[in-house]
Amino acid sequence: MAKVIEVDPEGLRSWIASAKRTLTIESEAMAKLIQALDGPLGRAFGEAVRLIKQGSGRVVMSGMGKSGHIARKIAATLASTGTPSFFVHPAEASHGDLGMVGRDDIIIMISNSGETAELRAMLDYAKRFHVKLIGISSRAESTLCRHADVALCLPDAREACPIGMAPTTSTMLQLAMGDALALALLEDRGFNAAQFKTFHPGGLLGAALTHVNDFMHKADKLPLAAPATPMTEALVTMTEKSFGCLGIVDDKSGELIGIVTDGDLRRHMSRDLIDLTVAEVMTHGPRTIAADTLASEALDLLNAGKRITSLFVVDDKNRPIGLIHVHDLLRLGVK
């Protein structure tokens, strides 16, 4: 059994006050960064996006310490949004990992001071082999910014750490700049949900970005009947297919014109149900879905309906080509 720890009210107030101070300092720094984009930083940002967009190689991220952790995250964000990217540790670069950097690649180095000694080998390599270099730093006169082809100089902002030592505000700004680059590139190339799924096939993201066509029930699994079908036959079909519904298709056009659900059966139980045809029992104009709809959108449609558990998938002529059930979405892990 977990031990219950009582929190002193005075201590709690102190912790919350500390959190507010941290977030206030960081939000003020973020406001400075946004404002700086209206000046020289904005022009440099545009040049960095152009450089990456026109490049034929990959984006090589690098940084030491906390900046290195930020560089790893930016590399992951770039790669997952359509810009090939990876991380090279600067200390390992001079021990063989520089061989991972191609002549057509673009290096993005992150260093708050711009003077990190471990970056020297990569700086020299970039200069020697004319590899384009983008530097992200808070010091415009630093070695990194002076040697970079494009220098993204972040605004001067104090660290949120009360002793001004732990990288907090500075790494937040670095990460924000990396996200801004990744998303500017994403928007510029029109990167869409289908492409995003290609890089996120697993987990909840992959499930939500799956298309209805990928998991719908097809062909002979579909519970379908003509309007004149007697309810005696319809009930057998509904039982065999076990979706709790029956799609009614027009004899000539093949269009879906109605649906019989468990609810329709209950509404007609007072009459002689087995003497009726499906046309007399069905609900007209059932809700449908297209095959290229995302699984997340399909779940929204099911949730928006009252007690709807199944949806017929139709083509552009409203002919049924598949069926999905809410259990299919649950099995996929869509939420």
Side-chain angles (χ1 to χ4, degrees):
M1 185 176 177
K3 183 180 179 181
V4 178
I5 300 176
E6 293 185 5
V7 179
D8 172 46
E10 187 61 35
L12 179 60
R13 283 193 291 272
S14 176
W15 299 338
I16 292 175
S18 175
K20 287 182 175 180
R21 282 195 298 273
T22 298
L23 297 176
T24 297
I25 292 170
E26 293 190 345
S27 63
E28 290 172 351
M30 186 64 74
K32 282 187 177 181
L33 179 61
I34 294 171
Q35 186 176 11
L37 286 169
D38 290 327
L41 178 59
R43 292 189 290 275
F45 180 83
E47 181 61 19
V49 172
R50 185 197 64 79
L51 198 63
I52 297 170
K53 177 185 173 182
Q54 294 181 353
S56 58
R58 302 152 301 174
V59 174
V60 181
M61 298 296 309
S62 191
M64 195 69 188
K66 303 298 185 296
S67 294
H69 294 308
I70 298 300
R72 283 183 187 275
K73 192 276 176 186
I74 295 172
T77 299
L78 285 166
S80 71
T81 52
T83 302
S85 181
F86 63 97
F87 174 81
V88 172
H89 195 289
E92 298 292 339
S94 59
H95 293 277
D97 281 4
L98 280 173
M100 300 166 67
V101 183
R103 304 292 178 86
D104 296 325
D105 292 340
I106 295 170
I107 299 173
I108 299 181
M109 282 189 192
I110 304 178
S111 171
N112 185 40
S113 67
E115 301 293 345
T116 307
E118 289 85 354
L119 298 178
R120 174 62 67 176
M122 289 192 74
L123 275 172
D124 292 343
Y125 183 88
K127 282 292 182 183
R128 181 181 176 188
F129 294 104
H130 307 289
V131 179
K132 294 298 183 181
L133 173 66
I134 298 171
I136 299 178
S137 175
S138 296
R139 304 287 183 269
E141 299 304 317
S142 65
T143 300
L144 174 58
C145 285
R146 285 188 289 105
H147 286 83
D149 293 284
V150 179
L152 298 176
C153 299
L154 305 177
D156 185 32
R158 64 189 176 108
E159 302 287 10
C161 169
I163 59 175
M165 300 295 288
T168 46
T169 307
S170 58
T171 49
M172 180 203 66
L173 294 180
Q174 293 168 359
L175 182 58
M177 182 55 64
D179 285 344
L181 282 171
L183 297 186
L185 290 161
L186 176 151
E187 292 179 17
D188 183 80
R189 67 168 62 92
F191 195 79
N192 58 36
Q195 293 168 303
F196 192 75
K197 181 185 180 298
T198 302
F199 303 122
H200 299 78
L204 295 180
L205 274 177
L209 293 170
T210 299
H211 288 92
V212 164
N213 185 59
D214 297 326
F215 64 92
M216 69 184 186
H217 303 276
K218 306 175 183 178
D220 59 351
K221 293 184 179 180
L222 300 183
L224 300 173
T229 304
M231 282 305 300
T232 50
E233 294 180 22
L235 289 169
V236 172
T237 302
M238 288 180 69
T239 302
E240 288 178 348
K241 304 299 183 180
S242 68
F243 288 111
C245 66
L246 181 71
I248 314 306
V249 294
D250 183 81
D251 294 308
K252 295 181 179 180
S253 66
E255 290 184 62
L256 184 72
I257 59 174
I259 190 171
V260 175
T261 66
D262 292 336
D264 294 313
L265 297 180
R266 286 192 296 272
R267 282 188 289 274
H268 289 83
M269 285 301 290
S270 61
R271 301 169 62 183
D272 197 353
L273 181 64
I274 60 174
D275 292 333
L276 301 175
T277 64
V278 292
E280 296 174 287
V281 177
M282 72 181 187
T283 296
H284 293 268
R287 186 171 299 187
T288 59
I289 194 170
D292 60 355
T293 305
L294 292 175
S296 56
E297 295 177 55
L299 184 60
D300 288 340
L301 282 172
L302 286 168
N303 288 335
K306 293 182 178 179
R307 300 180 182 177
I308 295 178
T309 58
S310 298
L311 284 171
F312 275 98
V313 185
V314 296
D315 62 15
D316 57 358
K317 294 184 179 180
N318 202 43
R319 295 175 299 198
I321 57 173
L323 183 143
I324 62 169
H325 192 277
V326 67
H327 290 163
D328 301 321
L329 294 161
L330 295 176
R331 278 192 293 270
L332 280 173
V334 182
K335 295 182 178 180

